[in-house]
Every structure is written in C-alpha cells, then in structure tokens.
Amino acid sequence: MLRLEGVKSGYGGIEALKGVDLVVRQGEIVALIGANGAGKSTTLKTISGLLQTREGRIVYQGEEIQNLPPEEIVKKGLIQVPEGRRIFPKFTVLENLEIGAYLRRDALGTQADLRYCLELFPILAERRQQKAGTLSGGEQQMLAIARALMARPKLLLLDEPSLGLAPLIIQQIFEIIKIINQERQMTIFLIEQNASLALKSANCAFVMENGHITLSGKAGDLAQSVEVKQAYLGI
Ligand SMILES: Nc1ncnc2c1ncn2[C@@H]1O[C@H](COP(=O)(O)OP(=O)(O)OP(=O)(O)O)[C@@H](O)[C@H]1O
Ligand SMILES: [Mg+2]
C-alpha cells in the first residue's frame, strides 16, 4: 500500500533520514520503533508531505506522492495523528470531530462515522459538549484518534499514541487501535518508542536508528531477536 525507497529528508543542514526503505501492506498494523531522535516523527512528516523528500520515492497505491502538497496527500486518505495530539482546545469535543470531517461531502457517511467514533470512545460521547482543552491527556489522545477517523483514512498514521499516558489508558488506546484495524480493515502505521507494546500490537515492524532502518520483520520475530531485546525491551 505504501512504500518508501531510499528516502532522505531533514531540516536545513541536518539530514534526519538518510535513505529509509520500508513497506506498509494493506490491512496490517506496521510499527516503526526506535530511540529518541532516531527519525521516526521525521519519517511521518515526510510521508504526509510536511517535510520535503530530498531523495528517493514514496509510493502510495502505485502512485508517487513524494512532494505533493500535504492537503493532496490527506485527500488520498493518508491521515496522521501527530505527536502531541494537537486537538483544538477551545473547541468542544464534537466540534473537533466535525473539523476532522471538513473535507467530506458525504453527510450520511460522516454521520455514521460520528456515531461509530462515539461508540468506540464512550467517554467522548459523554463529554461531547465539553471544551477539548479540559480533557485529560488520555481523553485528548482518544479525541485526536477519533478526529482522524472522521476523515475516513485509508492509512492511519499514528505518532506515539502512548506518549505521557498512564499504563491503563495506554492499554485501552491500543485495544481500540486493534479494533479499528479489524472492524474497519484500516491499515495503520504506528510509531512508538514503547517497543514492547508496539511489537505486541503490530503485524510487522521496522527498527530505526539514526536515520536508517536497521532491522525489520514480523513483529513477533523481532520481539524475540537478541538485538531488539537488548536495545529496546530491556531484556
Ligand atoms: N524542527 C526540527 N529542526 C531541526 N532538527 C530537527 C527538527 N525536528 C527534529 N529534528 C532532528 O531530527 C532528528 C530526528 O528527529 P525525530 O523527531 O524524527 O525523532 P524521533 O525518532 O521522532 O524521536 P522521539 O522519539 O524523541 O519523538 C533528531 O536529530 C532531531 O534533533
Ligand atoms: Mg518523534
């Protein structure tokens, strides 16, 4: 569904991605794990067109999308939930969800997806009239995911959904990620520093170090590999 081939990108004189190759197959949850500063968020920003691809190709459903404007990439169904969530704090939960659907013209489908999101996250239904800035961190993460779902992603890109959240909330969020993947056949590209969690949830995974992919394979196999155990699982 999505393939990166030799992708380089960065910030000014800093080359953060130094030739990244990876594949996301339709229907799967694919994890990208790695330490702080490895280039995970940069990978996501490059896929979604917020950062320029300096070299290499990004192929989505058979079409090269590198360096299309971000809104064109969104229209193709690649929707990202950025690191740090970025919900609109002054708007209500419901308004945030409506903003997620702003590009859609199918009112019935949008209504159905709103019902689906509120069923998936009952806490958001309860708080639908509340300003988003008053939600807890976990609820804001749920809202960020639900808002992305309102855009009907074909490929959902999640940047560290577990960041800064309590274990119980993280568990809930990851269960919902799996439900979305199964019920909606949604393909999910998941960036996580929490390697053990990511490897438990994903079908396959890529390990990133210093702007390169250093390991890849089935998530279950990687979780057993000595390198991953030592470097990322603390075993
Ligand atoms: N806006 C920026 N300007 C300059 N350098 C940046 C910028 N954002 C990231 N970098 C650099 O690019 C490299 C990759 O950063 P990136 O944010 O992709 O890492 P990450 O793997 O997402 O890390 P984390 O787990 O901490 O989120 C780092 O060396 C970082 O310092
Ligand atoms: Mg990051």
Side-chain angles (χ1 to χ4, degrees):
M1 184 176 207
L2 179 76
R3 201 170 63 241
L4 272 63
E5 294 172 359
V7 170
K8 296 188 179 174
S9 81
Y11 309 87
I14 298 169
E15 189 172 66
L17 302 187
K18 299 170 182 163
V20 171
D21 298 288
L22 62 82
V23 181
V24 178
R25 275 187 292 268
Q26 178 120 29
E28 291 193 336
I29 300 180
V30 177
L32 178 63
I33 62 176
N36 280 126
K40 304 181 299 297
S41 296
T42 304
T43 303
L44 211 84
K45 287 186 245 175
T46 308
I47 293 170
S48 53
L50 299 173
L51 269 181
Q52 205 197 334
T53 301
R54 294 176 175 176
E55 239 179 80
R57 308 198 308 153
I58 302 179
V59 182
Y60 172 68
Q61 295 191 316
E63 187 192 347
E64 289 191 25
I65 60 160
Q66 74 273 7
N67 300 330
L68 287 181
E71 59 274 19
E72 289 302 316
I73 295 175
V74 164
K75 278 188 197 151
K76 290 181 190 299
L78 283 99
I79 310 293
Q80 74 158 320
V81 179
E83 200 173 10
R85 348 214 210 269
R86 312 237 189 91
I87 46 111
F88 299 101
K90 298 243 158 69
F91 290 108
T92 66
V93 166
L94 210 52
E95 285 163 347
N96 268 275
L97 294 174
E98 283 161 0
I99 292 166
Y102 79 105
L103 279 175
R104 293 176 66 171
R105 296 289 168 265
D106 57 325
L108 283 177
T110 306
Q111 278 307 313
D113 284 347
L114 181 60
R115 278 196 302 276
Y116 179 77
C117 283
L118 295 177
E119 273 168 35
L120 203 56
F121 300 101
I123 192 76
L124 297 182
E126 231 171 82
R127 317 215 147 176
R128 67 182 89 184
Q129 303 299 353
Q130 200 169 312
K131 293 244 192 316
T134 66
L135 298 176
S136 73
E139 291 160 358
Q140 291 190 14
Q141 182 61 265
M142 291 178 191
L143 179 57
I145 294 172
R147 186 181 60 188
L149 292 181
M150 289 303 294
R152 265 230 163 216
K154 293 198 178 87
L155 173 58
L156 181 64
L157 309 163
L158 297 172
D159 196 348
E160 301 220 33
S162 77
L163 194 71
L165 303 180
L168 201 63
I169 306 287
I170 295 176
Q171 215 180 330
Q172 280 176 18
I173 287 175
F174 272 74
E175 262 156 35
I176 285 168
I177 291 171
K178 278 197 236 171
I179 290 174
I180 300 165
N181 170 249
Q182 282 160 15
E183 288 186 357
R184 303 237 128 174
Q185 284 83 47
M186 196 176 289
T187 313
I188 297 175
F189 185 52
L190 169 70
I191 288 184
E192 260 299 339
Q193 231 187 99
N194 186 330
S196 107
L197 193 65
L199 293 177
K200 273 186 206 133
S201 319
N203 302 102
C204 14
F206 293 85
V207 178
M208 179 166 245
E209 277 171 43
N210 195 19
H212 295 279
I213 300 296
T214 51
L215 284 169
S216 66
K218 289 202 177 114
D221 294 343
L222 280 182
Q224 296 305 319
S225 91
V226 176
E227 295 102 309
V228 171
K229 276 185 178 170
Q230 283 179 348
Y232 300 102
L233 300 175
I235 301 172

